[in-house]
Amino acid sequence: MSAVPEIETERLLMRGWRDSDTDAWAELCADDEVMRSLGRAGGLNLADAWREMAELAGHWVLKGFGHWVLELRASRELVGRAGLFHPPDWPGRELGWTVARSHWGNGYAGEAARAAMEWARSELGADHLISLIADDNRRSQRVAEKLGMKLEGRAQVRGHDLRMYGIDL
């Protein structure tokens, strides 16, 4: 298994997943409002949060890219995830992010997404990324727009009708 590359931004350490992240990740995923922002009804229980964490960690092994854990450099607190996702049923290589509600409004999603975009361009040779965002998730829509992404249309993904933003790198 290849190691997940670490990226340091001004305030974040973007790193691979660890089993010791389980409790912090489960707490983030238990928040109904955070999960609703992702188009899900209600928070996840511990088992479902762990399965999602395992899927995100496994994506690195299968694809050579994925979502990083977002850890505050100053305190080592897990505040979310961001990175790239492209399972076989996805309409393209997606740039995504999720941040704990207690950290909304601090700019961590955009900071991490910019670093992931640059990594995708320089390390993968990516020339286009998408972001799939629920209609009522104005926070993520604003992040996408600040990143320079434009609304490209809609996508039907796993039973969800989502806005599809995109950017050429």
Side-chain angles (χ1 to χ4, degrees):
M1 180 173 94
S2 61
V4 174
E6 288 190 351
I7 298 174
E8 286 193 13
T9 67
E10 181 182 346
R11 301 172 295 168
L12 301 169
L13 171 63
M14 298 168 62
R15 62 162 176 82
W17 295 86
R18 302 175 186 147
D19 191 48
S20 59
D21 295 328
T22 301
D23 290 341
W25 182 247
E27 183 179 334
L28 184 153
C29 290
D31 186 319
D32 290 342
E33 194 168 343
V34 171
M35 290 297 107
R36 274 195 305 275
S37 76
L38 298 174
R40 298 180 183 174
L44 301 182
N45 62 32
L46 175 65
D48 288 337
W50 189 87
R51 274 190 288 281
E52 181 173 282
M53 192 174 87
E55 177 185 29
L56 293 168
H59 194 283
W60 278 100
V61 175
L62 297 173
K63 294 283 198 172
F65 60 88
H67 274 251
W68 287 269
V69 170
L70 304 181
E71 183 179 278
L72 290 180
R73 289 175 55 192
S75 66
R76 297 298 184 210
E77 177 185 1
L78 185 153
V79 297
R81 64 166 169 86
L84 307 165
F85 192 66
H86 195 191
D89 59 337
W90 238 239
R93 188 178 287 152
E94 182 185 16
L95 173 65
W97 50 83
T98 302
V99 174
R101 186 164 31 130
S102 61
H103 293 282
W104 285 0
N106 291 322
Y108 298 140
E111 184 175 327
R114 276 187 295 280
M117 283 173 60
E118 175 56 30
W119 187 88
R121 188 193 59 71
S122 66
E123 298 300 317
L124 301 177
D127 59 3
H128 189 79
L129 296 174
I130 64 168
S131 288
L132 302 173
I133 304 174
D135 287 334
D136 59 355
N137 188 345
R138 284 297 305 145
R139 288 179 178 278
S140 281
Q141 291 168 29
R142 282 193 301 273
V143 170
E145 290 161 1
K146 286 180 180 179
L147 293 168
M149 299 183 108
K150 304 290 184 211
L151 186 61
E152 293 183 341
R154 303 194 70 79
Q156 306 295 316
V157 179
R158 297 182 183 175
H160 299 281
D161 179 39
L162 301 167
R163 293 179 184 209
M164 185 167 68
Y165 288 79
I167 189 168
D168 291 329
L169 303 178

